Amino acid sequence: MKYRAEIDGLRALAVMPVILFHAGILGFGGGFVGVDIFFVISGYLITTIIIDEKIKNEFSLAGFYERRFRRIFPALFLMMAICIPIAWAMMQPRQLQDFAESVGTVAVFLSNQLFLSERGYFDTASEFKPLLHTWSLAIEEQYYILFPIFVGLVINKGKKLTTIAIAVTCILSFVLSHWLVITKPDAAFFILPSRWWELAVGSLCALHILWKGNPKGNDYLGALGTLLIILSVTLLDKNSLFPGINALPPTIGAALIILFGTKETVIGRTLAHRALSGIGLVSYSAYLIHYPIFSFWRIGSLNAPSQASFLALTALSLTLAWFSWRFVEKPFREKNLISRKTIFLAAGFCSAIFFTFGLIGHYSGGFRSNNGNILPVQNDVPRMVDSNCHFHSSHLSPKTTDRFELCAKKYGKAIVILGDSHAMDLYNAIAYNSNYPFVFGLSQAGCRPHNTENKECHYGDFKNFLSEKHGKIHAVIYNQAGFYLVKDTTGADGSRDIFGQSNLATYLPNEIFIQKVSDYLTELSQHSKVIWLGPWIEPHLNVSALNKYSTNCQHIEIDSPGKTEKTFRHLDNFINDNLHQKNNLKYISIIEIINFDIKTDLFNCSGVFWRDGDHWSELGMQRFGQRLLGLIDSL
């Protein structure tokens, strides 16, 4: 096919917003749409190659996959090979296990499925997953497996039927994407069926050009395509529903540039400029390299790195990308240097090695027995205490209810710990330390009374349970993550991600969410004593970095109080002042009970008291649980 320099320029328009979005640079909140532009470009190029060779009777699956292997695997496998020793040196067992699993799934084109399955409470923060960005490569690789077979089934039926067939799959995929983004947004983001339409848009562009010849360039339509991409990059953000309808502007924008942004137009000439087309040439390597660099930089930093540091890392990524393109990508594309047989054998061998690494990392729990740099298991996901009548459940199953009844007969009234994943930590802390004989934890990650769209949560069932069993319950203690009860000055809901930003803004109490929690607890208080044990101060620091200081028994100075601590103290005071407390409903500040001191309550020489930025480790549960004994005794 004929080389189009403006397509390389479009690649630059795709990769730079992605990199700057991952760097957290202001103004690029929707930079993730660069991936969607890549999907359109891939669909266009692959379809052009396949149909053109089909017409000439030159197409073969072996030749097609050889080109894909030459294009994708050398730079990808080199990046993965370099990441492994760095991860080994820097990561703790849980992180290293997750990383090994990602290495294994990348090798078999399934990393998108892995990252989809990891979404949730036990998921490592996305910024600390060096291979997270490979989900999009998995989508493309799955497409490369299916699309040639699909085209082979319809191409002999004629041009019209081929176009209709691809258009139908495009429409069906878009409808699915729109439905999933509302019902199952994580699946909508990560799976091929909801992304197929973006690649199919590129395929339809290719068919239009192949069937009707190169369209005449159009400055207005080319400019409109560029404008749609720019608006998407600047106006969308991580809270936008995506892909679905919000993916239409960047996808259509990329299609308009492919169709009408030819070299005869201003947009085409601009994109074909050496500066942009040069970035486009190295865009694949730049995409591969930048995210691991950013991720490992974050892993090694105690606080969120500055935007200036990320701009420097962006420049480093582009520099390394040029070397990767020049000395890895280009040589492997030369058929006279490396034969097809060698490419296939090398790809198979490397894939097997990486897959084996992933299996070993998974089943060994992150190479615990072999990695001398790891720390004790206390910093991994904790076990829930289960001893006699200290027990925990996420739902009120018949088995759980039966156990509750037996314990009530044996010990009398229960203390119930209710809430989300923080309440799971609180339950463990109390169960570890308290002599109170009957402690029942009912909590579930991601479930809070203000999170009403999650129909699988336990709050409705517990309200009914409490009305029936209130005579067997001494008190209900409610606790949840505090960062979900704040919002920024624009009204955007708080999230764990906001504390990973170096330019942390002022966050205010989310009055609507607080009121929803208050209303629910007020209903409970009609049947039993209810205590809202407020949110604790969440340091949101990098635990991997803290582990290093703990291992070396090294003292560090941390500014206190910082914006993070002020946010939680202000939230604590706001709830205390505004909750309509009654005889059966009280608010108690856990911050005051624990008397958290950021200088001494992060770690000691025995280990770190935090499992991640806001959850206690087992060591932390024992430490902070001791400080809660007075509360339990006073109930």
Side-chain angles (χ1 to χ4, degrees), residues 45 70 133 205 272 296 348 386 424 433 496 503 517 531-532 555 574-575 579 600-602 609 623:
L45 294 175
R70 290 179 184 274
H133 64 318
C205 291
F296 286 124
D386 191 331
M424 295 168 69
N433 294 280
R496 189 174 283 111
N503 56 330
V517 176
I531 294 171
W532 184 349
H555 175 72
F574 179 88
I575 300 174
L579 182 68
T600 59
D601 285 332
L602 294 177
F609 306 132
R623 180 182 184 86

Side-chain angles (χ1 to χ4, degrees), residues 243-264:
I245 290 177
N246 283 327
L248 274 174
T251 302
I252 293 173
L256 288 174
I257 291 175
I258 290 172
L259 291 173
F260 302 107
T262 60
K263 61 182 179 181
E264 293 83 12

